Amino acid sequence: MASNDDFLKAAFHDPHAVANYVDSPRLAFPGFTDMQRMATLLLAERVGADGRVLVVGAGGGLELKVFAEAETSWTFDGVDPSPSMLQLATQTLGPLGSRVSLHEGKIDVAPSGPFDAATCILTMHFADIEERKQMLAAVRQRLKPNAPFITVHLSFPQSDGARSRWLSRYASYVTSSGVEPEKAAKAREAIDSHLTILDPEQDESLLYEAGFSGVSLFYAGFAFRGWVSNA
């Protein structure tokens, strides 16, 4: 069996995978565009003009582009461990990149802030529980008091056969989006083997343990969940 590092390299360093990344979330993620719009609105509730936003897992630049287009006075710091994905983010952003600073690495390379808000979208499920705790604590340390934090990732019940059912539902959704059934089945197997997927209640508990408050579910799309909380 391939290691988790091998899986991540194949997903985010392989040139073919990186080239196809812009389209991949829209095929696998129900309501992807609407989720991004909701996230933007939730940030804008409390981030004023000249806000500075930290984006964890910024590779590809998809949410950075949405945020930057919607809020033309905000600036951003994006963090991602894959140089190939950061290069793609630069291409995706185009002229918007003048308001974005990209940093290669994990959360520890991010500036200390303090930031007016932070997001971590489609990233947390790549970290095991201990790394997730460290990520959440590091994000909170970089936020101003009561700053909003948005996180979205795979999250569904894990007990009594529920994990297998939800993974199969994920594969069915991807197939219905036009992906070949064989590829969808391989994606299901890879997710089951390499990603850390928690019960939604456990995800919420980790946010509270890291010191966040007011944890609220704002998005639920089949196998994915999204929360907004306060630093």
Side-chain angles (χ1 to χ4, degrees):
M1 179 181 294
S3 69
N4 196 50
D5 287 343
D6 290 337
F7 171 73
L8 293 175
K9 287 178 181 178
F12 299 112
H13 296 264
D14 175 75
H16 179 72
V18 170
N20 291 327
Y21 178 78
V22 172
D23 295 322
S24 296
R26 294 179 176 86
L27 297 176
F29 192 110
F32 180 68
T33 300
D34 289 331
M35 179 278 295
Q36 290 180 310
R37 182 154 53 99
M38 287 187 282
T40 305
L41 294 173
L42 290 170
L43 294 177
E45 282 183 347
R46 282 179 284 160
V47 178
D50 302 321
R52 186 184 181 196
V53 179
L54 173 63
V55 176
V56 181
L62 300 181
E63 61 262 39
L64 278 169
K65 183 179 181 181
V66 171
F67 298 156
E69 287 178 338
E71 300 293 339
T72 57
S73 64
W74 290 0
T75 58
F76 306 87
D77 283 85
V79 178
D80 197 282
S82 168
S84 299
M85 292 295 287
L86 289 176
Q87 183 177 5
L88 178 60
T90 299
Q91 296 171 4
T92 300
L93 288 165
L96 296 170
S98 62
R99 291 189 282 127
V100 180
S101 296
L102 296 174
H103 310 272
E104 183 182 335
K106 297 187 178 182
I107 183 62
D108 58 294
V109 305
S112 59
F115 290 91
D116 297 287
T119 67
C120 185
I121 296 177
L122 300 186
T123 297
M124 202 69 74
H125 46 228
F126 293 107
D128 62 28
I129 292 178
E130 288 306 312
E131 183 180 6
R132 196 175 300 198
K133 290 179 179 179
Q134 295 170 6
M135 289 172 63
L136 291 171
V139 169
R140 186 175 178 275
Q141 289 171 0
R142 287 165 168 78
L143 289 173
K144 294 179 180 178
N146 296 315
F149 174 49
I150 288 175
T151 181
V152 183
H153 48 265
L154 284 164
S155 179
F156 48 78
Q158 300 293 306
S159 61
D160 300 325
R163 178 183 176 90
S164 179
R165 285 196 300 274
W166 277 108
L167 287 169
S168 294
R169 288 167 178 170
Y170 168 86
S172 295
Y173 182 85
V174 172
T175 301
S176 73
S177 298
V179 176
E180 296 175 8
E182 182 179 353
K183 290 184 178 179
K186 288 182 178 179
R188 180 200 187 284
E189 181 181 353
I191 288 171
D192 190 23
S193 300
H194 297 288
L195 301 193
T196 300
I197 304 172
L198 306 179
D199 187 285
E201 288 76 13
Q202 190 175 6
D203 271 311
E204 292 184 12
S205 293
L206 289 179
L207 285 164
Y208 283 116
E209 288 176 17
F212 291 96
S213 62
V215 179
S216 298
L217 183 74
F218 79 91
Y219 168 85
F222 232 34
F224 296 87
R225 300 287 185 277
W227 293 268
V228 59
S229 57
N230 310 316

